[in-house]
Amino acid sequence: MTPSAPPLPAWADDLGHGVYAVDTAFHRDRFDAAYLLVADGRAAFVDTGTNHALPRLLGLLEALALPRDAVEAVIPTHVHLDHAGGAGALMHALPAATLWVHPKGLRHMVDPRHLYAGALAVYGQAEMDRSYGTLVPVPAARVRATADDQWAEIAGRRLRFIHTPGHARHHHCVWDEATRGWFTGDTFGLSYRELDTPRGPWITPTSTPVQFEPAALDRAIQRLLDAEPDCVYLTHFGKLGGVAALGAQLQVLLAGMVELGQRVLSEGLLGAARHTRLHDGLRALYLASLRAHGSTLPEATIVHLLAIDLELNAQGMAIWLDREAAERDAAADSDASAAAAAGSAR
């Protein structure tokens, strides 16, 4: 009789075909995932969570009887700290691993000071200390930049990288040929299991600071859908099927966010008044979408589950609207200058 495999820790899930999910315990259970890909005794991590996830990431290797030098790659989908904050510390624990990162994120992995400063401006010192800790740099010789539409043989699997701006300009997604699935980071939105209904998962885009660009995000979502994937692996949270229907949900809500942003831009609000307007508008948009999706959860429960996202998404939308206003003003100035030049030529 073949001995059965030892049970996995409660915070790890075997998703099949050599893919494992690790609940990184960031903020709450089943909020933030890292993934381990295993084939023929070789392994790779996709996303890492924060520094505080390190014991679980290494603990999964131990549970699977994989030595640390079996890990060939660490692949953050982008360099936001809930996806890559633990990458430096993890790389120091994995002597044979190469870190694969979008070229716009490479410098932040080698020298994370600016990355830390940017997060500090959003979260404040107390939250940085509590949730993220000190960022560890990765030696430049161990970092490799990906190219758009690049294929690579990593840890016994054929992986494809595509660059997917919209949530962040330093974002790439990873296609796993073995499962016909995308590791989507934040490009394909977020979907929490507490919000599932009999109609299936509910999913929404995420516009966290500072590089939300809805037109680019819509194109990136469509690019993922064009591959006709069997599944997606979301960092927030888990493996989902029925990808075409999820993509349709995402695109409808993204259009709703754009419409909200355009209304707020036309109102001319700034500062706290604008933030409140965006926050309340997103709350109404999400609640209406969830009710249409069959959710019967109390409104207070829904708002509690989405509280972090409501706050950060409103901040990200405000930064997008600032760019939109600057581009509009620049266009108006250019038109005025052209009109003046035409008038002087008469």
Side-chain angles (χ1 to χ4, degrees):
M1 179 180 294
T2 303
S4 60
L8 293 177
W11 37 260
D13 291 311
D14 183 348
L15 303 179
H17 301 284
V19 180
Y20 299 84
V22 177
D23 183 344
T24 70
F26 182 62
H27 285 309
R28 68 173 186 261
D29 290 344
R30 301 178 71 77
F31 179 86
D32 184 78
Y35 293 95
L36 180 68
L37 285 62
V38 180
D40 301 324
R42 300 149 64 194
F45 282 103
V46 179
D47 280 344
T48 69
T50 71
N51 281 324
H52 303 312
L54 191 64
R56 291 190 173 187
L57 303 180
L58 298 178
L60 179 57
L61 295 178
E62 184 176 349
L64 295 173
L66 285 170
R68 294 185 183 185
D69 60 7
V71 180
E72 296 182 358
V74 173
I75 309 170
T77 56
H78 59 303
V79 301
H80 289 167
L81 299 188
D82 51 335
H83 299 256
L90 181 62
M91 285 291 292
H92 279 260
L94 302 175
T98 297
L99 188 136
W100 294 65
V101 65
H102 189 287
K104 291 184 183 296
L106 187 149
R107 66 185 179 93
H108 296 297
M109 294 288 91
V110 174
D111 181 356
R113 288 177 294 179
H114 291 294
L115 182 63
Y116 184 91
L120 179 64
V122 173
Y123 299 115
Q125 191 65 61
E127 178 62 15
M128 290 298 293
D129 292 343
R130 183 183 75 84
S131 293
Y132 302 105
T134 301
L135 303 185
V136 178
V138 181
R142 298 184 64 194
V143 181
R144 179 168 178 174
T146 63
D148 186 38
D149 208 17
Q150 174 183 1
W151 286 88
E153 296 281 348
I154 298 175
R157 308 175 86 97
R158 271 178 53 81
L159 303 180
R160 176 191 176 203
F161 297 93
I162 66 167
H163 292 177
T164 52
H167 174 80
R169 294 171 191 164
H170 46 82
H171 203 302
H172 60 197
C173 291
V174 186
W175 172 261
D176 175 37
E177 188 175 66
T179 62
R180 292 193 51 80
W182 287 110
F183 292 88
T184 61
D186 283 340
T187 295
F188 208 74
L190 53 86
S191 177
Y192 303 127
R193 303 286 60 76
E194 300 99 324
L195 297 175
D196 290 352
T197 76
R199 299 182 187 181
W202 179 80
I203 195 166
T204 186
T206 171
S207 59
T208 50
V210 292
Q211 294 176 346
F212 175 55
E213 296 168 315
L217 182 57
D218 188 63
R219 290 191 296 270
I221 291 168
Q222 189 58 53
R223 195 173 177 195
L224 297 175
L225 293 171
D226 287 346
E228 299 182 352
D230 291 340
C231 61
V232 286
Y233 300 94
L234 304 185
T235 303
H236 311 290
F237 177 93
K239 177 184 179 181
L240 300 178
V243 181
L246 294 174
Q249 282 189 54
L250 273 177
Q251 290 172 320
V252 167
L253 277 170
L254 182 59
M257 293 169 70
V258 170
E259 182 181 350
L260 169 65
Q262 290 171 340
R263 289 200 306 269
V264 173
L265 186 62
S266 69
E267 293 166 359
L269 297 175
L270 295 172
R274 181 178 64 177
H275 179 80
T276 298
R277 179 77 172 83
L278 289 169
H279 184 283
D280 292 349
L282 287 170
R283 172 174 168 161
L285 180 67
Y286 295 163
L287 285 169
S289 176
L290 277 159
R291 294 303 183 220
H293 194 62
S295 177
T296 58
L297 289 175
E299 180 175 329
T301 300
I302 293 172
V303 172
H304 173 71
L305 291 169
L306 293 173
I308 294 168
D309 303 296
L310 283 166
E311 178 65 26
L312 293 177
N313 288 353
Q315 290 182 32
M317 287 188 68
I319 294 168
W320 162 59
L321 291 180
D322 284 340
R323 289 197 303 269
E324 290 284 298
E327 291 172 6
R328 180 191 61 188
D329 292 345
D333 289 346
S334 177
D335 289 345
S337 297
S344 64
R346 292 192 180 98

